[in-house]
Amino acid sequence: DSSVVCANLGYQRLGSTAYSSSSTFGQGSGPIFLSRFGCTGTEDSILDCYSYEFDISYCSHYRDAGVRCEAPCSETSIRLVPGPDYGRVEVCINSTWGTVCDDFWDNNDASVVCSQLGYSNYGAIAAYGSYTESVSPVYIRDLNCTGSEGSVYECPHNGINGYICNQYNDASIKCQENNTLHANCSDGMVRLVDGSSEYEGRVELCLNGAWGTVCGRYWGTQDSSVVCA
């Protein structure tokens, strides 16, 4: 429904957000004309959508609908959704946000994205199957960064023309604060820190050139036995 409203106003359909109550933009006044919308998203006007024009007796201005349309983006900009330091990677091409296919997606690619966004390029984690959606176009596939580029647009990649990438394969990442330091360690290395002997301590794991900790939620003896082994 919100995508049709935005298109009706001359904005892009993609990226709109629907609000089903007045809590965001306040209550209106006067008559309530339509209810129970059933737009497909392709209509040119909300009047083309299925709706009840007269069955509004159960509705009050507390339920006044609202919309936030997606503003045009700046060419070659990049963002994370939901963000700010984690989420689905989106790139701006032709003033519209699109996604990156996670084929060949790895920590080198994640490092470049995080650095481009002002975060540390150490400890950046490439994720798969997280924060996906099925609306935005897929713009980039087979991204192949070395990790030293200043922008993902400097990395070798293929366009999406003639290639099918399911939108549920959107690339996503987790970035670290820009004060995260480089560590001379390899992915998967584990160490114990601040214990009274070499046999105990806080568990730290190395990923993408940085040491980090492990959340203790659901942590048990079976987990600790793997670390010790």
Side-chain angles (χ1 to χ4, degrees):
D1 306 323
S2 61
S3 65
V4 174
V5 171
C6 291
N8 204 167
L9 291 168
Y11 304 122
Q12 61 186 33
R13 295 178 186 270
L14 297 176
S16 65
T17 304
Y19 299 90
S20 58
S21 74
S22 63
S23 60
T24 302
F25 304 110
Q27 297 184 17
S29 60
I32 300 172
F33 285 130
L34 300 172
S35 70
R36 299 188 187 183
F37 270 91
C39 300
T40 65
T42 60
E43 297 87 351
D44 294 322
S45 167
I46 58 173
L47 295 179
D48 297 330
C49 300
Y50 174 83
S51 68
Y52 283 79
E53 297 184 23
F54 305 107
D55 184 18
I56 48 82
S57 58
Y58 71 93
C59 202
S60 69
H61 285 298
Y62 172 77
R63 300 288 297 178
D64 284 343
V67 165
R68 176 173 286 114
C69 300
E70 182 79 85
C73 53
S74 300
E75 201 70 10
T76 70
S77 55
I78 190 169
R79 70 179 182 181
L80 302 181
V81 179
D85 59 352
Y86 69 95
R88 181 177 63 254
V89 179
E90 295 193 349
V91 294
C92 179
I93 296 176
N94 296 327
S95 301
T96 303
W97 290 109
T99 61
V100 177
C101 185
D102 67 6
D103 287 354
F104 303 105
W105 180 249
D106 61 20
N107 287 344
N108 287 334
D109 305 320
S111 292
V112 174
V113 172
C114 291
S115 179
Q116 187 176 348
L117 291 170
Y119 297 102
S120 175
N121 57 336
Y122 303 118
I125 302 172
Y128 314 86
S130 303
Y131 311 106
T132 59
E133 51 97 69
S134 58
V135 177
S136 300
V138 182
Y139 282 147
I140 294 176
R141 70 177 177 92
D142 299 345
L143 195 63
N144 189 25
C145 302
T146 65
S148 61
E149 296 88 352
S151 164
V152 292
Y153 297 100
E154 299 173 5
C155 302
H157 67 271
N158 294 314
I160 204 65
N161 291 337
Y163 181 86
I164 297 175
C165 182
N166 191 307
Q167 279 118 335
Y168 292 105
N169 293 119
D170 292 334
S172 55
I173 57 173
K174 174 66 174 76
C175 298
Q176 311 301 333
E177 294 298 326
N178 57 16
N179 60 356
T180 300
L181 300 177
H182 175 258
N184 186 23
C185 60
S186 302
D187 283 3
M189 290 180 62
V190 177
R191 67 181 183 182
L192 301 180
V193 179
D194 291 339
S196 60
S197 73
E198 60 181 304
Y199 302 106
E200 64 179 19
R202 181 178 62 254
V203 177
E204 294 191 350
L205 172 69
C206 177
L207 284 177
N208 199 9
W211 287 107
T213 59
V214 176
C215 180
R217 190 176 185 185
Y218 302 116
W219 183 257
T221 55
Q222 289 181 324
D223 308 308
S224 62
S225 66
V226 174
V227 172
C228 292

PDB file of all heavy atoms in Angstrom, residues 52-79:
ATOM      1  N   TYR A  52     -12.400  -0.954   1.051  1.00  0.00           N
ATOM      2  CA  TYR A  52     -13.785  -0.704   1.433  1.00  0.00           C
ATOM      3  C   TYR A  52     -13.970   0.806   1.519  1.00  0.00           C
ATOM      4  O   TYR A  52     -13.322   1.475   2.324  1.00  0.00           O
ATOM      5  CB  TYR A  52     -14.104  -1.340   2.788  1.00  0.00           C
ATOM      6  CG  TYR A  52     -14.313  -2.830   2.745  1.00  0.00           C
ATOM      7  CD1 TYR A  52     -13.225  -3.695   2.701  1.00  0.00           C
ATOM      8  CD2 TYR A  52     -15.600  -3.373   2.748  1.00  0.00           C
ATOM      9  CE1 TYR A  52     -13.419  -5.069   2.659  1.00  0.00           C
ATOM     10  CE2 TYR A  52     -15.793  -4.749   2.713  1.00  0.00           C
ATOM     11  CZ  TYR A  52     -14.697  -5.581   2.675  1.00  0.00           C
ATOM     12  OH  TYR A  52     -14.881  -6.934   2.637  1.00  0.00           O
ATOM     13  N   GLU A  53     -14.863   1.346   0.687  1.00  0.00           N
ATOM     14  CA  GLU A  53     -15.056   2.793   0.679  1.00  0.00           C
ATOM     15  C   GLU A  53     -16.041   3.254   1.739  1.00  0.00           C
ATOM     16  O   GLU A  53     -16.017   4.417   2.146  1.00  0.00           O
ATOM     17  CB  GLU A  53     -15.536   3.236  -0.711  1.00  0.00           C
ATOM     18  CG  GLU A  53     -14.525   2.959  -1.818  1.00  0.00           C
ATOM     19  CD  GLU A  53     -14.997   3.501  -3.150  1.00  0.00           C
ATOM     20  OE1 GLU A  53     -15.826   4.430  -3.146  1.00  0.00           O
ATOM     21  OE2 GLU A  53     -14.538   2.994  -4.179  1.00  0.00           O
ATOM     22  N   PHE A  54     -16.906   2.378   2.169  1.00  0.00           N
ATOM     23  CA  PHE A  54     -17.960   2.816   3.079  1.00  0.00           C
ATOM     24  C   PHE A  54     -17.934   2.113   4.431  1.00  0.00           C
ATOM     25  O   PHE A  54     -18.548   2.577   5.376  1.00  0.00           O
ATOM     26  CB  PHE A  54     -19.342   2.607   2.416  1.00  0.00           C
ATOM     27  CG  PHE A  54     -19.461   3.282   1.086  1.00  0.00           C
ATOM     28  CD1 PHE A  54     -19.458   2.546  -0.080  1.00  0.00           C
ATOM     29  CD2 PHE A  54     -19.546   4.663   1.007  1.00  0.00           C
ATOM     30  CE1 PHE A  54     -19.560   3.172  -1.308  1.00  0.00           C
ATOM     31  CE2 PHE A  54     -19.650   5.298  -0.218  1.00  0.00           C
ATOM     32  CZ  PHE A  54     -19.648   4.557  -1.383  1.00  0.00           C
ATOM     33  N   ASP A  55     -17.222   0.999   4.525  1.00  0.00           N
ATOM     34  CA  ASP A  55     -17.187   0.252   5.778  1.00  0.00           C
ATOM     35  C   ASP A  55     -16.072   0.793   6.669  1.00  0.00           C
ATOM     36  O   ASP A  55     -15.051   0.170   6.873  1.00  0.00           O
ATOM     37  CB  ASP A  55     -16.963  -1.227   5.484  1.00  0.00           C
ATOM     38  CG  ASP A  55     -17.019  -2.073   6.756  1.00  0.00           C
ATOM     39  OD1 ASP A  55     -17.561  -1.577   7.754  1.00  0.00           O
ATOM     40  OD2 ASP A  55     -16.507  -3.208   6.722  1.00  0.00           O
ATOM     41  N   ILE A  56     -16.292   1.989   7.210  1.00  0.00           N
ATOM     42  CA  ILE A  56     -15.277   2.628   8.041  1.00  0.00           C
ATOM     43  C   ILE A  56     -15.801   2.902   9.446  1.00  0.00           C
ATOM     44  O   ILE A  56     -15.181   3.632  10.215  1.00  0.00           O
ATOM     45  CB  ILE A  56     -14.783   3.937   7.391  1.00  0.00           C
ATOM     46  CG1 ILE A  56     -15.929   4.838   6.925  1.00  0.00           C
ATOM     47  CG2 ILE A  56     -13.904   3.627   6.195  1.00  0.00           C
ATOM     48  CD1 ILE A  56     -16.552   5.678   7.964  1.00  0.00           C
ATOM     49  N   SER A  57     -16.934   2.305   9.792  1.00  0.00           N
ATOM     50  CA  SER A  57     -17.539   2.589  11.088  1.00  0.00           C
ATOM     51  C   SER A  57     -16.662   2.125  12.246  1.00  0.00           C
ATOM     52  O   SER A  57     -16.713   2.704  13.340  1.00  0.00           O
ATOM     53  CB  SER A  57     -18.925   1.918  11.181  1.00  0.00           C
ATOM     54  OG  SER A  57     -18.808   0.523  10.989  1.00  0.00           O
ATOM     55  N   TYR A  58     -15.860   1.091  12.032  1.00  0.00           N
ATOM     56  CA  TYR A  58     -15.019   0.558  13.102  1.00  0.00           C
ATOM     57  C   TYR A  58     -13.716   1.331  13.242  1.00  0.00           C
ATOM     58  O   TYR A  58     -12.941   1.116  14.173  1.00  0.00           O
ATOM     59  CB  TYR A  58     -14.684  -0.910  12.817  1.00  0.00           C
ATOM     60  CG  TYR A  58     -13.726  -1.089  11.674  1.00  0.00           C
ATOM     61  CD1 TYR A  58     -12.357  -1.176  11.893  1.00  0.00           C
ATOM     62  CD2 TYR A  58     -14.192  -1.108  10.368  1.00  0.00           C
ATOM     63  CE1 TYR A  58     -11.473  -1.303  10.830  1.00  0.00           C
ATOM     64  CE2 TYR A  58     -13.318  -1.242   9.310  1.00  0.00           C
ATOM     65  CZ  TYR A  58     -11.968  -1.333   9.542  1.00  0.00           C
ATOM     66  OH  TYR A  58     -11.109  -1.439   8.496  1.00  0.00           O
ATOM     67  N   CYS A  59     -13.425   2.236  12.294  1.00  0.00           N
ATOM     68  CA  CYS A  59     -12.130   2.914  12.242  1.00  0.00           C
ATOM     69  C   CYS A  59     -12.243   4.315  12.839  1.00  0.00           C
ATOM     70  O   CYS A  59     -13.246   5.009  12.639  1.00  0.00           O
ATOM     71  CB  CYS A  59     -11.651   2.987  10.794  1.00  0.00           C
ATOM     72  SG  CYS A  59      -9.869   3.193  10.620  1.00  0.00           S
ATOM     73  N   SER A  60     -11.193   4.737  13.552  1.00  0.00           N
ATOM     74  CA  SER A  60     -11.140   6.091  14.102  1.00  0.00           C
ATOM     75  C   SER A  60      -9.842   6.742  13.641  1.00  0.00           C
ATOM     76  O   SER A  60      -8.995   6.112  13.012  1.00  0.00           O
ATOM     77  CB  SER A  60     -11.184   6.055  15.634  1.00  0.00           C
ATOM     78  OG  SER A  60      -9.980   5.494  16.145  1.00  0.00           O
ATOM     79  N   HIS A  61      -9.679   8.024  13.948  1.00  0.00           N
ATOM     80  CA  HIS A  61      -8.465   8.723  13.532  1.00  0.00           C
ATOM     81  C   HIS A  61      -7.220   8.198  14.249  1.00  0.00           C
ATOM     82  O   HIS A  61      -6.099   8.501  13.832  1.00  0.00           O
ATOM     83  CB  HIS A  61      -8.621  10.232  13.757  1.00  0.00           C
ATOM     84  CG  HIS A  61      -9.501  10.888  12.735  1.00  0.00           C
ATOM     85  ND1 HIS A  61      -9.179  10.906  11.400  1.00  0.00           N
ATOM     86  CD2 HIS A  61     -10.698  11.515  12.846  1.00  0.00           C
ATOM     87  CE1 HIS A  61     -10.133  11.544  10.731  1.00  0.00           C
ATOM     88  NE2 HIS A  61     -11.065  11.912  11.588  1.00  0.00           N
ATOM     89  N   TYR A  62      -7.419   7.390  15.288  1.00  0.00           N
ATOM     90  CA  TYR A  62      -6.275   6.742  15.924  1.00  0.00           C
ATOM     91  C   TYR A  62      -5.589   5.804  14.944  1.00  0.00           C
ATOM     92  O   TYR A  62      -4.390   5.547  15.051  1.00  0.00           O
ATOM     93  CB  TYR A  62      -6.731   5.972  17.168  1.00  0.00           C
ATOM     94  CG  TYR A  62      -5.645   5.115  17.774  1.00  0.00           C
ATOM     95  CD1 TYR A  62      -4.625   5.688  18.535  1.00  0.00           C
ATOM     96  CD2 TYR A  62      -5.626   3.732  17.571  1.00  0.00           C
ATOM     97  CE1 TYR A  62      -3.613   4.903  19.081  1.00  0.00           C
ATOM     98  CE2 TYR A  62      -4.626   2.934  18.105  1.00  0.00           C
ATOM     99  CZ  TYR A  62      -3.620   3.539  18.863  1.00  0.00           C
ATOM    100  OH  TYR A  62      -2.617   2.760  19.383  1.00  0.00           O
ATOM    101  N   ARG A  63      -6.356   5.307  13.963  1.00  0.00           N
ATOM    102  CA  ARG A  63      -5.840   4.362  12.983  1.00  0.00           C
ATOM    103  C   ARG A  63      -5.455   5.048  11.673  1.00  0.00           C
ATOM    104  O   ARG A  63      -5.266   4.380  10.660  1.00  0.00           O
ATOM    105  CB  ARG A  63      -6.881   3.284  12.704  1.00  0.00           C
ATOM    106  CG  ARG A  63      -7.291   2.467  13.912  1.00  0.00           C
ATOM    107  CD  ARG A  63      -6.217   1.513  14.351  1.00  0.00           C
ATOM    108  NE  ARG A  63      -5.927   0.516  13.327  1.00  0.00           N
ATOM    109  CZ  ARG A  63      -4.987  -0.407  13.461  1.00  0.00           C
ATOM    110  NH1 ARG A  63      -4.248  -0.454  14.555  1.00  0.00           N
ATOM    111  NH2 ARG A  63      -4.768  -1.281  12.494  1.00  0.00           N
ATOM    112  N   ASP A  64      -5.322   6.357  11.651  1.00  0.00           N
ATOM    113  CA  ASP A  64      -4.947   7.052  10.420  1.00  0.00           C
ATOM    114  C   ASP A  64      -3.613   6.521   9.897  1.00  0.00           C
ATOM    115  O   ASP A  64      -2.608   6.477  10.621  1.00  0.00           O
ATOM    116  CB  ASP A  64      -4.832   8.561  10.660  1.00  0.00           C
ATOM    117  CG  ASP A  64      -6.199   9.228  10.769  1.00  0.00           C
ATOM    118  OD1 ASP A  64      -7.188   8.619  10.351  1.00  0.00           O
ATOM    119  OD2 ASP A  64      -6.260  10.371  11.276  1.00  0.00           O
ATOM    120  N   ALA A  65      -3.611   6.119   8.628  1.00  0.00           N
ATOM    121  CA  ALA A  65      -2.414   5.525   8.019  1.00  0.00           C
ATOM    122  C   ALA A  65      -1.378   6.591   7.683  1.00  0.00           C
ATOM    123  O   ALA A  65      -1.705   7.740   7.393  1.00  0.00           O
ATOM    124  CB  ALA A  65      -2.804   4.770   6.752  1.00  0.00           C
ATOM    125  N   GLY A  66      -0.124   6.191   7.726  1.00  0.00           N
ATOM    126  CA  GLY A  66       0.972   7.081   7.361  1.00  0.00           C
ATOM    127  C   GLY A  66       1.974   6.368   6.470  1.00  0.00           C
ATOM    128  O   GLY A  66       1.966   5.133   6.362  1.00  0.00           O
ATOM    129  N   VAL A  67       2.829   7.137   5.827  1.00  0.00           N
ATOM    130  CA  VAL A  67       3.808   6.594   4.893  1.00  0.00           C
ATOM    131  C   VAL A  67       5.106   7.380   5.002  1.00  0.00           C
ATOM    132  O   VAL A  67       5.086   8.598   5.199  1.00  0.00           O
ATOM    133  CB  VAL A  67       3.289   6.677   3.431  1.00  0.00           C
ATOM    134  CG1 VAL A  67       4.413   6.459   2.430  1.00  0.00           C
ATOM    135  CG2 VAL A  67       2.193   5.662   3.182  1.00  0.00           C
ATOM    136  N   ARG A  68       6.221   6.690   4.899  1.00  0.00           N
ATOM    137  CA  ARG A  68       7.519   7.344   4.698  1.00  0.00           C
ATOM    138  C   ARG A  68       8.108   6.820   3.392  1.00  0.00           C
ATOM    139  O   ARG A  68       8.352   5.625   3.256  1.00  0.00           O
ATOM    140  CB  ARG A  68       8.474   7.091   5.862  1.00  0.00           C
ATOM    141  CG  ARG A  68       9.865   7.698   5.622  1.00  0.00           C
ATOM    142  CD  ARG A  68      10.782   7.611   6.841  1.00  0.00           C
ATOM    143  NE  ARG A  68      10.390   8.566   7.866  1.00  0.00           N
ATOM    144  CZ  ARG A  68       9.922   8.241   9.065  1.00  0.00           C
ATOM    145  NH1 ARG A  68       9.777   6.962   9.388  1.00  0.00           N
ATOM    146  NH2 ARG A  68       9.600   9.157   9.951  1.00  0.00           N
ATOM    147  N   CYS A  69       8.309   7.719   2.429  1.00  0.00           N
ATOM    148  CA  CYS A  69       8.852   7.332   1.126  1.00  0.00           C
ATOM    149  C   CYS A  69      10.375   7.412   1.147  1.00  0.00           C
ATOM    150  O   CYS A  69      10.966   8.182   1.902  1.00  0.00           O
ATOM    151  CB  CYS A  69       8.296   8.246   0.034  1.00  0.00           C
ATOM    152  SG  CYS A  69       6.486   8.197  -0.116  1.00  0.00           S
ATOM    153  N   GLU A  70      10.992   6.605   0.312  1.00  0.00           N
ATOM    154  CA  GLU A  70      12.456   6.570   0.212  1.00  0.00           C
ATOM    155  C   GLU A  70      12.930   7.730  -0.644  1.00  0.00           C
ATOM    156  O   GLU A  70      12.498   7.899  -1.781  1.00  0.00           O
ATOM    157  CB  GLU A  70      12.897   5.258  -0.426  1.00  0.00           C
ATOM    158  CG  GLU A  70      14.398   5.083  -0.546  1.00  0.00           C
ATOM    159  CD  GLU A  70      15.045   4.674   0.755  1.00  0.00           C
ATOM    160  OE1 GLU A  70      15.082   3.475   1.052  1.00  0.00           O
ATOM    161  OE2 GLU A  70      15.515   5.577   1.474  1.00  0.00           O
ATOM    162  N   ALA A  71      13.804   8.569  -0.082  1.00  0.00           N
ATOM    163  CA  ALA A  71      14.371   9.675  -0.848  1.00  0.00           C
ATOM    164  C   ALA A  71      15.407   9.134  -1.831  1.00  0.00           C
ATOM    165  O   ALA A  71      16.048   8.112  -1.569  1.00  0.00           O
ATOM    166  CB  ALA A  71      15.014  10.691   0.088  1.00  0.00           C
ATOM    167  N   PRO A  72      15.589   9.800  -2.991  1.00  0.00           N
ATOM    168  CA  PRO A  72      16.629   9.355  -3.929  1.00  0.00           C
ATOM    169  C   PRO A  72      17.994   9.365  -3.246  1.00  0.00           C
ATOM    170  O   PRO A  72      18.303  10.252  -2.451  1.00  0.00           O
ATOM    171  CB  PRO A  72      16.557  10.396  -5.050  1.00  0.00           C
ATOM    172  CG  PRO A  72      15.185  10.970  -4.952  1.00  0.00           C
ATOM    173  CD  PRO A  72      14.849  10.971  -3.495  1.00  0.00           C
ATOM    174  N   CYS A  73      18.808   8.359  -3.532  1.00  0.00           N
ATOM    175  CA  CYS A  73      20.128   8.255  -2.900  1.00  0.00           C
ATOM    176  C   CYS A  73      21.192   8.870  -3.794  1.00  0.00           C
ATOM    177  O   CYS A  73      20.983   9.087  -4.991  1.00  0.00           O
ATOM    178  CB  CYS A  73      20.462   6.806  -2.595  1.00  0.00           C
ATOM    179  SG  CYS A  73      20.317   5.669  -4.003  1.00  0.00           S
ATOM    180  N   SER A  74      22.351   9.162  -3.200  1.00  0.00           N
ATOM    181  CA  SER A  74      23.477   9.732  -3.938  1.00  0.00           C
ATOM    182  C   SER A  74      24.249   8.615  -4.625  1.00  0.00           C
ATOM    183  O   SER A  74      24.577   7.592  -4.004  1.00  0.00           O
ATOM    184  CB  SER A  74      24.408  10.489  -2.990  1.00  0.00           C
ATOM    185  OG  SER A  74      23.715  11.548  -2.354  1.00  0.00           O
ATOM    186  N   GLU A  75      24.551   8.812  -5.886  1.00  0.00           N
ATOM    187  CA  GLU A  75      25.209   7.783  -6.687  1.00  0.00           C
ATOM    188  C   GLU A  75      26.491   7.282  -6.018  1.00  0.00           C
ATOM    189  O   GLU A  75      27.286   8.055  -5.502  1.00  0.00           O
ATOM    190  CB  GLU A  75      25.530   8.343  -8.070  1.00  0.00           C
ATOM    191  CG  GLU A  75      25.738   7.302  -9.131  1.00  0.00           C
ATOM    192  CD  GLU A  75      24.457   6.576  -9.524  1.00  0.00           C
ATOM    193  OE1 GLU A  75      23.361   7.004  -9.103  1.00  0.00           O
ATOM    194  OE2 GLU A  75      24.553   5.575 -10.236  1.00  0.00           O
ATOM    195  N   THR A  76      26.664   5.974  -6.008  1.00  0.00           N
ATOM    196  CA  THR A  76      27.808   5.231  -5.462  1.00  0.00           C
ATOM    197  C   THR A  76      27.902   5.312  -3.930  1.00  0.00           C
ATOM    198  O   THR A  76      28.917   4.918  -3.366  1.00  0.00           O
ATOM    199  CB  THR A  76      29.155   5.677  -6.075  1.00  0.00           C
ATOM    200  OG1 THR A  76      29.483   6.987  -5.633  1.00  0.00           O
ATOM    201  CG2 THR A  76      29.123   5.607  -7.587  1.00  0.00           C
ATOM    202  N   SER A  77      26.862   5.802  -3.258  1.00  0.00           N
ATOM    203  CA  SER A  77      26.877   5.741  -1.795  1.00  0.00           C
ATOM    204  C   SER A  77      26.529   4.320  -1.350  1.00  0.00           C
ATOM    205  O   SER A  77      26.127   3.475  -2.148  1.00  0.00           O
ATOM    206  CB  SER A  77      25.899   6.762  -1.200  1.00  0.00           C
ATOM    207  OG  SER A  77      24.598   6.581  -1.715  1.00  0.00           O
ATOM    208  N   ILE A  78      26.679   4.064  -0.059  1.00  0.00           N
ATOM    209  CA  ILE A  78      26.489   2.713   0.470  1.00  0.00           C
ATOM    210  C   ILE A  78      25.912   2.827   1.872  1.00  0.00           C
ATOM    211  O   ILE A  78      26.133   3.822   2.569  1.00  0.00           O
ATOM    212  CB  ILE A  78      27.840   1.944   0.464  1.00  0.00           C
ATOM    213  CG1 ILE A  78      27.643   0.468   0.784  1.00  0.00           C
ATOM    214  CG2 ILE A  78      28.844   2.582   1.402  1.00  0.00           C
ATOM    215  CD1 ILE A  78      28.887  -0.366   0.532  1.00  0.00           C
ATOM    216  N   ARG A  79      25.137   1.832   2.296  1.00  0.00           N
ATOM    217  CA  ARG A  79      24.555   1.851   3.637  1.00  0.00           C
ATOM    218  C   ARG A  79      24.297   0.427   4.106  1.00  0.00           C
ATOM    219  O   ARG A  79      24.326  -0.529   3.313  1.00  0.00           O
ATOM    220  CB  ARG A  79      23.250   2.645   3.649  1.00  0.00           C
ATOM    221  CG  ARG A  79      22.094   1.968   2.923  1.00  0.00           C
ATOM    222  CD  ARG A  79      20.821   2.804   2.995  1.00  0.00           C
ATOM    223  NE  ARG A  79      19.703   2.131   2.335  1.00  0.00           N
ATOM    224  CZ  ARG A  79      18.472   2.654   2.227  1.00  0.00           C
ATOM    225  NH1 ARG A  79      18.236   3.866   2.723  1.00  0.00           N
ATOM    226  NH2 ARG A  79      17.506   1.991   1.621  1.00  0.00           N
TER     227      ARG A  79
END
